Amino acid sequence: MSLSASSLTTLRRQLTSGETSAREIVEDVIAQVSSRDTEVGAFLSFDPEAALAEADQADLSLPLGGLPIGIKDNINVAGQPCTCASQFLKGAYTAPYDATAITHLRAAGAIPFGRTNLDEFAMGSSTENSALQTTQNPAAPGHIPGGSSGGSAAAVAADLIPATLGSDTGGSIRQPASHCGVVGLKPSYGRVSRYGLVAFGSSLDQIGPLTRTVEDAALLLNALAGHDPRDSTSLTNPVPDYTAGIEDGVSGMKLGLPREYFTDGISPLVRERVESAAKTLEGLGAELVEISLPHTEYAVGTYYIIAPAEASSNLSRFDGVRYGNRSENPAEMLSLYKDSREAGFGPEVKRRIILGTYVLSSGYYDAYYLRAQKVRTLIRRDFEQAFEAVDAILTPVAPEPAPKMGDASGDPLKHYLADIFTLSANLAGNCGISVPLEPVGGLPVGLQILGPHLGEQTILRCARAVEASRQS
Ligand code: GLN
């Protein structure tokens, strides 16, 4: 097995025993990406010299010492481009600083490697909204890798690199992980600093890991989590060792199956996979409990008001003056803004800005934005009540396995509706993980395990039990 196809934990062992070196690992990642990523399209760019120089300096005594991690191209890494897969920023912006997540990775010894593709500004669920490049699903060429962290998921699935970072505003880590057959963890809101992540929906965004194994996700979360005074929503709760206890199994755990997630809209094969994973966990000593999350049907409507509202405000900073591309010879000030935005943003980003501006405008604010905030509270309460009765909740990640490329183009609503199972965790601020199950007709399918706020240890333990059951 090539080094870049190994797990972080395996590489760590090989590094400490002297079997391999950080330089060898980074050289292998460079070789894999250079020779095979033309077919996959996971990486938008990478800087081999910078990565090799860091490998030579790596402190192998640190928890992630010498391990390269691919970075979604909406997370700032000092001295590297950060395009958000947008024409607005392409060739026009170099990050002047490290995001806190990157500072934490470096402090743990890791090497940020390359920039992975995404839907423009993380808006989408197929990576087809990238203005720069197409990304294939390595498990099923011709199919979407999911999104918006499609490049991050594909890079791991194609064995180009052991692990990557993504961001999840409404499912963008869990859904591509499910579609590509890798592990993807969305931490609880506030667990990982958002400082240096290009803001999409600030009350929803979280950075998290995409990995080959559950233990690797825990290992990365150990480094990523923690308080950051530069993010006012960052939590001060102590950071446990997330790798501890992941082998403890699910015996005695109560696992909820929400009635509203197993409806007609879901593909029978996906449903069968998720139900059979639940049965496996029951066989391992968990108790399955049918539960209700009654406001589930409002999640899509609520999210697609709140996220665009926040996006329209966050993206107002892209005005052609302070960041990115600037229109040439504008007639006057207003046309500088207008022309720069018209040329810089792709159709989905414009759609979100228009939607968001509309729901925030005077006269409509109460009817849409305020009402959505109230429904958000109801969705959060659904979870609070459910977690009084169960430790974690099992659901599908998406209603279907990865569709073919182009299947939903021209129909944004189709994409929005397929987000139904992932959005609620962001609206409630809870944590969630996608762990691979047996593929359906060659297409990967993930199980989503949702936990309460700061319930990462529980969902990691449960995900590890699922993973172990497939290895035995
Ligand atoms: N698919 C959702 C959207 O397009 C979620 C995206 C995300 O999590 N970044 O808004």
Side-chain angles (χ1 to χ4, degrees), residues 54 75-81 94-99 102 106 115:
E54 286 188 53
I75 301 171
N76 280 279
V77 176
Q80 295 193 17
T94 302
Y97 68 103
D98 276 340
I102 301 299
R106 288 195 201 279
R115 317 288 306 157

Side-chain angles (χ1 to χ4, degrees), residues 263-275 399-401 440:
T263 52
D264 293 344
I266 164 175
S267 126
L269 286 170
V270 169
R271 182 183 179 142
E272 188 280 317
R273 288 292 188 275
V274 172
E275 286 174 347
E400 289 179 5
V440 165

